[in-house]
Structures are given as C-alpha cells and as structure tokens.
Amino acid sequence: MGWGDLGVFGEPSKETPNLDQMAAEGMLFLDFYTASPLCSPSRAALLTGRLPVRNGFYTTNGHARNAYTPQDIVGGIPDSELLLPELLKKAGYTNKIIGKWHLGHRPQFHPLRHGFDEWFGSPNCHFGPYDSRERPNIPVYYEDFKINLKTGEANLTQLYLQEALDFISKQQASQQPFFLYWAIDATHAPVYASKQFLGTSQRGLYGDAVREIDDSIGKILKHLQQLGISENTFVFFTSDNGAALISAPKQGGSNGPFLCGKQTTFEGGMREPAIAWWPGHIPAGGVSHQLGSVMDLFSTSLSLAGVQPPSDRQIDGIDLLPVMLQGRLIDRPIFYYRGNELMAVRAGLYKAHYWTWSNSWEEHSKGIDFCPGQSVAGVTTHTQEEHTYLPLLFHLGRDPGEKYPLSFASEEYQRAVEHISGLVQQHKASLVPGQPQLNVCDQAVMNWSPPGCEKLGKCLKAPESDPKKCSWPH
Amino acid sequence: MGWGDLGVFGEPSKETPNLDQMAAEGMLFLDFYTASPLCSPSRAALLTGRLPVRNGFYTTNGHARNAYTPQDIVGGIPDSELLLPELLKKAGYTNKIIGKWHLGHRPQFHPLRHGFDEWFGSPNCHFGPYDSRERPNIPVYYEDFKINLKTGEANLTQLYLQEALDFISKQQASQQPFFLYWAIDATHAPVYASKQFLGTSQRGLYGDAVREIDDSIGKILKHLQQLGISENTFVFFTSDNGAALISAPKQGGSNGPFLCGKQTTFEGGMREPAIAWWPGHIPAGGVSHQLGSVMDLFSTSLSLAGVQPPSDRQIDGIDLLPVMLQGRLIDRPIFYYRGNELMAVRAGLYKAHYWTWSNSWEEHSKGIDFCPGQSVAGVTTHTQEEHTYLPLLFHLGRDPGEKYPLSFASEEYQRAVEHISGLVQQHKASLVPGQPQLNVCDQAVMNWSPPGCEKLGKCLKAPESDPKKCSWPH
C-alpha cells in the first residue's frame, strides 16, 4: 500500500473513512519510512529494530539488489537476532502474528521459533499458484482459501480480521497484555477482496481491497473501544513498502506526489502512510513531521512495555513516545538501502542520493517499470549511477517529487551535503553487516510437505538439494 | 494554486490548517473543475456561468491556444454578457471585488461597469515590472505596493484581507446582503508573502504564500462567525487553474497525483481544490464526488439569492445546492477547452481526450515545461495530436494520473466512448460561440495614464495605435 492510498493523504476518491478517522483521533506521520523498498527486509527491520544490512536481510549476489524470501530461499531470520515478541515475552506479553511472515519459511525460521506464541497466516506472500506441484508456496491447508483470479474474490482479509478480533477478545477476557502483529498481505498482487467489497470502489479491484482493509481497521479499533481497552492499547498503522506501480493501473496503488514506487529508494518506494492511535494518551488530530521508521515500532513498543532494548547490538529504531505524547521532534537521519548499498540519506528536509537506479534497461525493456509516467533526467536512471563524490541533493519540502536537484555550486548544497556526509561517515564507520541471508536458493527447501499434508494425502516429494545463487534482477 | 497544495488533499507538508478546518466544517469537492487552464477565461466563466467559448474569452489566432488579458489586449468582457454581480443587484446585493479582475482593463471592461459596486485591486495580474515605462501594467497608485523580488516580501494579501474584513463589517453593520469576490492573486509568480509569513513554510516562498492565504481565509471565516453571520453567509474556496508547474520548484505549487499543470487540459491543469462552507446548512465533514465547475458558483449564487438565471442564453453552470444540502449527485459532463477547441470531456469516471497537447517542441526547447518529470507516451504530446475518431480514454478512478489509456478494443472503451460521443454531439450542435475577445493586441491600450496619474505627475504618453494579432504560443 502506498502513501497516497489514504484519503487523508490525498487519494482523489477518498475511500478510507476509518483510517482518516483514526488519524483524526490520533497522530498522522507525514514523514514516516520503511527500512527497505521491499517486503521481507522491511518486515525483518520492523521486528528487529535494525536495518536489513545488520539483521542479514539482504543479498550480496549483485550490487544494490533488492532481495526477499521466495519459496526456494534457504535463509531466514537468524537465531542471533532478537525479535520484538521475544523481548515482549519478558514483560508477560502474549504475542500473535496474523498474516504474512516472510522472514523465512524453513522450520527454524518460523514465527513460533522467534517469540510468537500464536501464528495464523502464511509463511510467504499469498501469491499463487496455490496448488502448484512444481513450485509449492503456502501450506496445503490453505487449499481451503481460494482467490478467484477472474473476479478477484477472496475472503482472506476477513479471515485475518476475525482472527484478530477473536484474539483481542481472548486476551481481554484473560486480562493478559498482548502484542498483535496484524500483517495482512492485501493489497499485494494478485489483488483480492471479499465479495461484500467487490466493485464498491471507484478505483477498481485495488480500491476494493483498500476499502476492505480500511473497514477492517475500523472494526478492530471499534472492538478495542467496545471492550474498554482502547485507552490501554497502542495501535500503529503503516505499510512495508511503497505501492507497487508495476502492477498499475489494475492492481497498483498510489504514492501520491512522490517519485516512483516499490523497489526504488525514491520517496515513492519508501515513504509510508503512518498513523498512531492511543485515545486518552496521544492527542487527537496531531500531525507530526518527525522522521520516523518502521524500526521505531520496535523501540517504541519496548518502551511502552517497559522493556530495555538490547544493549549488545546497534538498534536503529528510536522511541517515538516523546514525539507522540509531548509533540517533540527528534533529530535523526533516514537511510535508504537497496541490498547492502546505501543509496540515499535524508536529514531534515534534505535528501542526498549517493546512488540512483530505477531498474536495468534489460528489465525495463520487458515492460517492468517502477516509475510509470515519470521520468526525471539523471535521477530515475536505468543504469546504476554513482554520485558518491557529488550527491544529488533534493529539498523535500519545496520538491517532494525529487524533480529538481539543487545546484552543486549553491551554498545551500554545500552546507547540506557537508552535514549529511558527516552522518554517512559516522554510520559507515560503525556498521557491522550481518551475514547475508538472501544469497542462496534451493528448490529442495520449498513447502513440499507442510504440516498437515499427511492427513490430506497431499505430501509431495522434495527434489534433490541443489543450492544456487538466487537471481535478483532489481 | 493547485489541487495538491492543501493538506486535506495530501500536500506532504500539511500546512493549511484553516482550509483543512474549513473542509471539516463544510463540504470538500474532490472532482471540481475550472473552465479553462488559464486565469482570464476561467474568471470570465466563473462570473458569467458560461464557457469561455460562449462568453468570448478565447482566441482564434491559432488552434487550441490559451489566451488571457495581458497589458496590451484590446478586448475584454462584452457588455452583452450578464455577470453574477449584475444579477445579484436585482436582489439588493452590494457587490465588491477585491483583487485581480483580468477580464479586460480598458475602461469599458472595468468591474464597476459590470455590476460591481466597489473594486479594490488591480485590473490585470500583479506581475511586474510595476514601474515599467515601456509596458505599464497596474495603475500608478500601486507604486506604494512593492514586491521585493529578492526576498519575496510584499503585503498585498494583507491589504486584500483587511479590505475584505472591513467590507464584511460594513455590510453587517448596515444589514445589507453582499457578494464578495475575494480574487487575490497570490500564489501567482512572482510569488510573494508578507513578512510575518516569510520563511515559515517547509515549502519555501510558495509555501509561505499558501500559508498566508490559509491564514487569511481562517480570519475571514472567524470574522463571519464573530459578527454572527456565518449561518447566513455562503463561502466557497477554489482556484482558477492548476498549479503552474513551470514555475516549480521555487515558485510552483502541487497538483497532487494529477498529470501536468496550468495551461494543459490534463487533470493537473483543471482539477481544483474546492470547499463549500455554510455552517448550519451544509453538513460538516461532507465529501462530494459531484463533478463541479467554477461556473456552478454563478448558478448556485443566483439560487441562494432567489434570482432567476438568464433564460435568453446557454448557462453552463448548475445549481449545487441540492448537492450540498441534500447530498445529491447530478449527472453532468465536464468540458475541457483550450481556446475554442474541445480537448477532452469527462463523464462519470471516464475522461475522453479528443486532442492532446502539452506545448510545442519549440516552446519546450526553451525550457517551458508544463509537465516536469512527467511523460506519458502518446498523451503528454508536444505536437497537437487529434484523437477525434478514436479518443484516448482514461478511467479516472483507477487511473487519476492519466497514465493508462484503455484498450480501444475493450467493451468498456466502446461503451464509455459511445456515451461521451453523444454528449459531445449534443454540446457541439447547440454551441453558439461568442465573438472572440482575445485576438487583438495593441500597445496603445496599455495603462499609460491610469486615473490618479495627474496628481502624481506620472502620466505617460500612449504610443500610436497599432493593432496586431496577439501571439499565443500555448
């Protein structure tokens, strides 16, 4: 989902009344970022509070490549990483993930091995084919769940919603504190929505999915209120990357006025919708310019639970409570990575690009376009362009669309780049990259025989192991 | 000012708290249009309720050219046109224009000759040089008013604000109904703001100007409330064309997710921010998908005043009261003209382009770019492309950015184009174009000796009359 998909962020059909209301009752973050323009590393960063380059969710198979966890990935979240639910356990929290995991699907990587008490959802993304015998994806017990690729009908979000409401009720009844990671995979392509939402949006099927998410979030917030625990429950809404414009117009969302989309380190790829909600604590109708990150949800949640963050490793997240409760602004940069390459850095309103790349000419010629209808000379480049010694600098206040690099000769440029270069040096000097987890792929590790297959008589035989370098074209 | 310049429409700095509040207390129009992507014809349409091609505010000097009223224009609003203030007079209204007129600056065209009782402002736009002796623009008494082009400081909007507040107070005191046309010329380039707003925006000088407008509107609404007449005063906020992206990034605004800007018939050129406010009548927090037009302000205002619209001519505006008071949706098309060429038509969520053009290669090569950073093959064309027999069709719900023309072969295309073609035929069959007013230019008609110049000893001698075809490159 993209920044521009919410009414409150200017989506022209304005079809997200519940999210808009959530913002009116809570705090809207205008400058909130993911840690990667792609799902797996973004989610790994959220749960570890650390950049993918630290927690291992990157590849070194090519320069500046986005990598994730497809069906044949060998790696996953390392045991050495401390995940948010593991730490919250210390404070007595019950932790549940509902939805997409995407931090590795081999047994040692599963959520229940990394701090979650309950798991309802899929190890990977939902994309099909679900009954493939050549490239099995999600477990067989998901055969009950169908996406009608012709009509786009599927009730997965409703299943996830009901599971969330039930979990919240159960926790409230038992008076147990809880952490719910509601990681639905709508609006990912192939886009789907439940029957009651199909055809209800001006925006087509993608809009139907957005409306269903919006409706679900409204129901979750209302449920918290009805149970009388809304003033005791912190809720945060955000997305794991910018809208995938490559799926537009039928299945792609909106990044508002920003440049490009998912897979890129332009604003459209990494600036996210973000709303914090905690009635009675976060003042209603607040709007914050704090530079925020999904990694801050790690630190903020620990702070809320009264748990100390780990001191034996670098944590990139910051505690946003002073921002939300006292309206403070905390000075901190945003790092935009693609693989293990630091592509860009934002400090204040300035963003410096050290590398630019949309995608290769080869991929582009196949019709893969991360910036449809947009083209900024020297910026949305189809070759990887290095700007290390003379970064491209944008002022995101005057130019949120990254269209007008500042003049290299200007004082403003020199002042800002000097400042950002200092931050980069500091960052790089102390960086200890994790072991890259997304280098090796092997067909043998796919879900040939997921738990439950015996009962259904549907276990498949895995092929011989044949590990190879994964191919990451972007 | 552009659609995307308001926080409520997703401007990423969200710096328009008063306009956002106005929307929260009133009705936000998401699909509201001007009648021309340029100032003069747009304002003529607003005040006559008629398309420029009917009221004469167009040129036939070239095909599909935008024209306005520069200093040397010979034409202006014809006496045969009935303007809103002329009609409101019948109902006892006192009419005042504050700000930019732009419907012709020769004496016979002045506002006081066309229904306004009072006028405070300039006949043309504010752009300089103000003291030019070769090309005089606004009257000499404006020598008191300075724009510091280096700092961008000017207090014009404050002068206009004070004049508005005073007029409202006076009318309230005398219990006289009034029509105030608050036609400020900020944010037009050269952009300016008062000292108290300079440097206060994240968006630079343009943002400072937006903040000053926002603040002024907040003060006007508050004034109405303090005088106890807010429930008896209908207020509408909109703009005369899309943000001029050609002035970006230093002096140009935002059209949000829409394509291109001022001068074009893409959404960025003609979709406008629009808010209706009438506490106690228009329900708070309403959002409307009604296709609206600045020309509707003519019809709606007459309806509010209980005055019949003229029956001897075609009126293009519709009465929006049923939309605002009863939440109705009225089926009507939007016509996008450039000069006297019907470039595009919107009906429902479909928009058909019969002609596409951004600007000529020749102008483009001079650095004049109406679509910076945007380029959609076959759409943002630099030659005038005719699509009369096979219009380019967009679905603005799924594709508000006009990036993905529908397949000519699709049933959806055929159904929508058939419907729109019918509307076009009907429209063209009954169209009686007015005499084009914007064809002839003559240096002799410039403001060489405006009223008051004698006193200041600053009257200039007009050159010999030498009427020529005006040059309209866009």
Side-chain angles (χ1 to χ4, degrees):
Chain A
M1 200 164 175
W3 193 92
D5 278 322
L6 274 60
V8 73
F9 286 122
E11 199 293 310
S13 302
K14 238 182 166 53
E15 295 179 331
T16 54
N18 293 287
L19 285 163
D20 297 356
Q21 182 64 22
M22 182 182 179
E25 294 171 8
M27 178 170 273
L28 189 67
F29 284 86
L30 300 171
D31 302 84
F32 198 88
Y33 291 88
T34 181
S36 166
L38 208 69
C39 45
S40 292
S42 170
R43 286 155 194 254
L46 185 155
L47 289 171
T48 60
R50 284 150 59 79
L51 284 165
V53 70
R54 296 192 214 274
N55 66 33
F57 262 67
Y58 69 99
T59 182
T60 53
N61 287 1
H63 178 249
R65 303 300 169 109
N66 294 320
Y68 67 106
T69 54
Q71 292 100 300
D72 56 354
I73 196 82
V74 170
I77 191 73
D79 278 340
S80 55
E81 289 298 316
L82 281 170
L83 271 64
L84 176 58
E86 295 180 70
L87 295 161
L88 289 177
K89 264 193 173 168
K90 295 185 195 167
Y93 279 71
T94 305
N95 305 303
K96 179 160 192 163
I97 167 174
I98 296 174
K100 171 177 162 183
W101 171 239
H102 234 177
L103 300 196
H105 59 265
R106 295 172 69 199
Q108 65 269 40
F109 302 127
H110 280 189
L112 303 185
R113 288 284 302 272
H114 290 270
F116 283 101
D117 301 294
E118 301 179 29
W119 176 26
F120 181 84
S122 63
N124 289 326
C125 200
H126 70 287
F127 42 70
Y130 310 103
D131 54 357
S132 169
R133 292 177 169 255
E134 283 74 49
R135 201 169 164 79
N137 184 9
I138 54 179
V140 284
Y141 50 81
Y142 262 93
E143 290 193 347
D144 288 339
F145 156 71
K146 297 261 192 298
I147 296 181
N148 183 330
L149 288 178
K150 205 166 161 184
T151 64
E153 183 181 340
N155 68 338
L156 185 55
T157 301
Q158 290 304 309
L159 297 176
Y160 286 160
L161 169 61
Q162 196 52 52
E163 190 76 11
L165 299 177
D166 291 348
F167 174 68
I168 293 168
S169 297
K170 189 188 75 177
Q171 291 306 118
Q172 191 269 342
S174 66
Q175 303 279 310
Q176 292 295 309
F178 66 92
F179 165 54
L180 170 58
Y181 178 42
W182 198 60
I184 55 170
D185 61 15
T187 53
H188 200 295
V191 175
Y192 57 86
S194 300
K195 193 164 189 178
Q196 66 193 102
F197 291 97
L198 281 184
T200 62
S201 165
Q202 290 193 350
R203 305 178 66 198
L205 184 55
Y206 184 92
D208 296 340
V210 171
R211 291 202 61 213
E212 183 165 15
I213 293 171
D214 177 72
D215 182 78
S216 301
I217 288 162
K219 289 199 166 102
I220 290 172
L221 299 185
K222 202 172 166 193
H223 192 58
L224 293 170
Q225 284 169 323
Q226 284 171 342
L227 292 175
I229 55 173
S230 62
E231 299 206 355
N232 209 17
T233 308
F234 174 76
V235 185
F236 203 93
F237 171 83
T238 190
S239 175
D240 61 346
N241 46 242
L245 301 185
I246 191 184
S247 310
K250 292 216 167 159
Q251 310 226 326
S254 167
N255 297 313
F258 299 126
L259 189 62
C260 303
K262 178 173 174 177
Q263 298 270 10
T264 77
T265 48
F266 302 110
E267 291 301 285
M270 291 182 62
R271 195 167 331 184
E272 305 303 327
I275 308 169
W277 187 87
W278 190 16
H281 300 269
I282 298 173
V287 170
S288 180
H289 284 292
Q290 173 65 45
L291 303 196
S293 162
V294 292
M295 299 180 289
D296 301 343
L297 301 179
F298 175 90
S299 305
T300 306
S301 300
L302 290 182
S303 173
L304 282 162
V307 176
Q308 285 295 318
S311 56
D312 62 342
R313 62 195 70 199
Q314 181 70 43
I315 301 293
D316 296 288
I318 61 171
D319 178 3
L320 293 178
L321 287 186
V323 175
M324 296 185 287
L325 303 182
Q326 290 120 41
R328 279 188 52 202
L329 282 178
I330 301 164
D331 191 25
R332 70 95 72 91
I334 295 292
F335 297 107
Y336 305 68
Y337 272 90
R338 196 156 166 167
N340 61 343
E341 184 59 80
L342 181 63
M343 304 286 288
V345 178
R346 176 174 176 182
L349 286 165
Y350 293 103
K351 180 175 176 182
H353 288 268
Y354 292 91
W355 285 88
T356 52
W357 196 36
S358 58
N359 65 350
S360 68
W361 283 116
E362 193 189 342
E363 292 291 303
H364 191 68
S365 70
K366 294 180 196 160
I368 296 173
D369 190 348
F370 299 148
C371 316
Q374 297 178 314
S375 172
V376 183
V379 180
T380 54
T381 58
H382 288 290
T383 48
Q384 297 188 347
E385 299 286 336
E386 185 170 7
H387 310 277
T388 306
Y389 299 103
L390 215 53
L392 290 184
L393 187 73
F394 296 93
H395 185 283
L396 294 180
R398 300 193 299 265
D399 176 24
E402 293 166 286
K403 289 177 186 164
Y404 306 95
L406 268 73
S407 161
F408 297 135
S410 66
E411 258 187 68
E412 185 183 8
Y413 177 90
Q414 290 173 16
R415 211 168 41 237
V417 166
E418 195 175 330
H419 173 61
I420 294 179
S421 296
L423 297 171
V424 170
Q425 274 184 350
Q426 207 180 328
H427 173 68
K428 289 197 168 171
S430 66
L431 182 70
V432 182
Q435 274 293 107
Q437 297 295 315
L438 308 179
N439 280 352
V440 183
C441 288
D442 186 346
Q443 292 243 339
V445 306
M446 299 201 287
N447 269 314
W448 302 101
S449 301
C453 67
E454 301 86 352
K455 219 164 151 184
L456 297 167
K458 295 209 174 178
C459 301
L460 299 174
K461 194 177 162 343
E464 285 291 298
S465 172
D466 179 19
K468 288 179 180 159
K469 266 189 166 186
C470 309
S471 161
W472 303 118
H474 302 298
Chain B
M1 200 165 176
W3 193 92
D5 277 323
L6 274 59
V8 72
F9 286 122
E11 200 292 312
S13 301
K14 239 183 166 50
E15 295 178 333
T16 55
N18 293 287
L19 285 164
D20 297 357
Q21 181 65 21
M22 182 183 180
E25 293 170 9
M27 178 170 272
L28 188 67
F29 284 85
L30 300 172
D31 301 84
F32 198 88
Y33 291 88
T34 180
S36 166
L38 207 69
C39 46
S40 291
S42 170
R43 286 155 193 254
L46 185 156
L47 289 170
T48 60
R50 285 150 58 79
L51 283 166
V53 70
R54 297 192 214 273
N55 66 33
F57 261 66
Y58 68 99
T59 182
T60 53
N61 287 2
H63 179 249
R65 302 300 169 109
N66 295 319
Y68 67 105
T69 55
Q71 292 100 298
D72 55 354
I73 197 81
V74 171
I77 192 74
D79 278 338
S80 55
E81 289 298 316
L82 283 170
L83 271 63
L84 176 59
E86 296 180 71
L87 295 161
L88 289 176
K89 264 192 174 170
K90 296 184 194 166
Y93 278 70
T94 306
N95 306 302
K96 178 160 192 162
I97 167 172
I98 296 174
K100 171 178 162 182
W101 171 240
H102 233 178
L103 302 195
H105 59 266
R106 297 172 67 200
Q108 64 268 40
F109 303 127
H110 279 189
L112 303 184
R113 288 284 303 273
H114 290 269
F116 283 101
D117 301 295
E118 301 179 28
W119 175 25
F120 181 84
S122 63
N124 290 325
C125 200
H126 70 286
F127 42 69
Y130 311 103
D131 55 357
S132 169
R133 290 175 170 255
E134 283 74 48
R135 200 170 165 76
N137 184 9
I138 54 179
V140 285
Y141 50 81
Y142 263 94
E143 289 193 348
D144 288 340
F145 156 71
K146 296 261 192 300
I147 296 180
N148 182 330
L149 287 177
K150 205 167 161 182
T151 65
E153 183 181 338
N155 67 338
L156 185 55
T157 302
Q158 290 304 309
L159 297 176
Y160 285 161
L161 169 62
Q162 195 53 51
E163 190 77 12
L165 298 176
D166 291 348
F167 174 68
I168 293 168
S169 297
K170 190 188 74 178
Q171 292 305 119
Q172 191 269 342
S174 65
Q175 302 279 308
Q176 293 294 310
F178 66 92
F179 164 54
L180 170 58
Y181 178 42
W182 198 61
I184 54 170
D185 62 14
T187 54
H188 201 295
V191 175
Y192 58 86
S194 301
K195 193 165 189 177
Q196 65 193 103
F197 291 96
L198 281 184
T200 62
S201 166
Q202 289 194 350
R203 305 178 65 198
L205 184 55
Y206 184 92
D208 296 342
V210 170
R211 291 202 61 214
E212 183 165 16
I213 293 171
D214 176 73
D215 182 78
S216 301
I217 288 162
K219 290 199 166 101
I220 290 172
L221 299 184
K222 202 172 165 193
H223 193 57
L224 293 171
Q225 284 169 323
Q226 284 170 343
L227 293 174
I229 56 173
S230 62
E231 300 207 353
N232 208 17
T233 308
F234 174 76
V235 186
F236 202 93
F237 171 83
T238 190
S239 176
D240 62 346
N241 47 241
L245 301 185
I246 191 185
S247 310
K250 291 216 167 159
Q251 310 227 327
S254 167
N255 297 313
F258 298 126
L259 189 61
C260 303
K262 179 174 175 177
Q263 299 268 11
T264 76
T265 48
F266 301 110
E267 291 301 285
M270 292 183 61
R271 201 182 307 200
E272 305 303 328
I275 307 170
W277 186 88
W278 190 16
H281 301 269
I282 297 173
V287 170
S288 180
H289 285 291
Q290 173 65 45
L291 303 196
S293 163
V294 291
M295 299 181 289
D296 301 343
L297 300 178
F298 175 88
S299 305
T300 305
S301 299
L302 291 182
S303 173
L304 281 162
V307 175
Q308 285 295 318
S311 56
D312 62 343
R313 62 196 70 201
Q314 181 70 42
I315 300 294
D316 296 289
I318 61 172
D319 178 3
L320 292 178
L321 287 186
V323 174
M324 296 185 288
L325 303 182
Q326 290 120 40
R328 279 188 51 201
L329 282 178
I330 300 164
D331 190 26
R332 70 95 70 92
I334 295 293
F335 297 107
Y336 303 70
Y337 272 89
R338 195 155 166 169
N340 61 343
E341 184 59 80
L342 181 62
M343 304 286 287
V345 177
R346 176 174 176 181
L349 287 166
Y350 294 102
K351 179 175 177 183
H353 288 267
Y354 291 90
W355 284 88
T356 52
W357 195 37
S358 57
N359 65 351
S360 69
W361 283 117
E362 193 189 341
E363 292 291 304
H364 190 69
S365 71
K366 293 181 197 159
I368 296 174
D369 190 349
F370 299 148
C371 316
Q374 296 178 314
S375 172
V376 182
V379 180
T380 54
T381 59
H382 287 290
T383 48
Q384 297 189 347
E385 299 286 336
E386 184 170 7
H387 310 278
T388 305
Y389 299 104
L390 216 52
L392 289 184
L393 186 74
F394 295 94
H395 185 283
L396 294 180
R398 300 193 299 266
D399 176 24
E402 294 168 284
K403 289 178 185 163
Y404 306 96
L406 268 73
S407 161
F408 298 134
S410 66
E411 258 186 68
E412 185 183 7
Y413 177 90
Q414 290 174 15
R415 212 168 41 237
V417 166
E418 196 175 329
H419 174 61
I420 295 179
S421 295
L423 298 171
V424 171
Q425 273 185 351
Q426 207 180 330
H427 174 68
K428 290 198 167 170
S430 66
L431 182 71
V432 182
Q435 274 293 107
Q437 297 295 316
L438 308 178
N439 280 351
V440 184
C441 287
D442 185 347
Q443 293 244 338
V445 306
M446 299 201 287
N447 269 315
W448 302 101
S449 302
C453 67
E454 302 85 354
K455 218 164 152 185
L456 298 167
K458 295 210 173 178
C459 302
L460 301 173
K461 193 178 164 344
E464 286 292 296
S465 173
D466 179 20
K468 287 179 179 157
K469 266 189 166 186
C470 310
S471 162
W472 303 118
H474 302 299

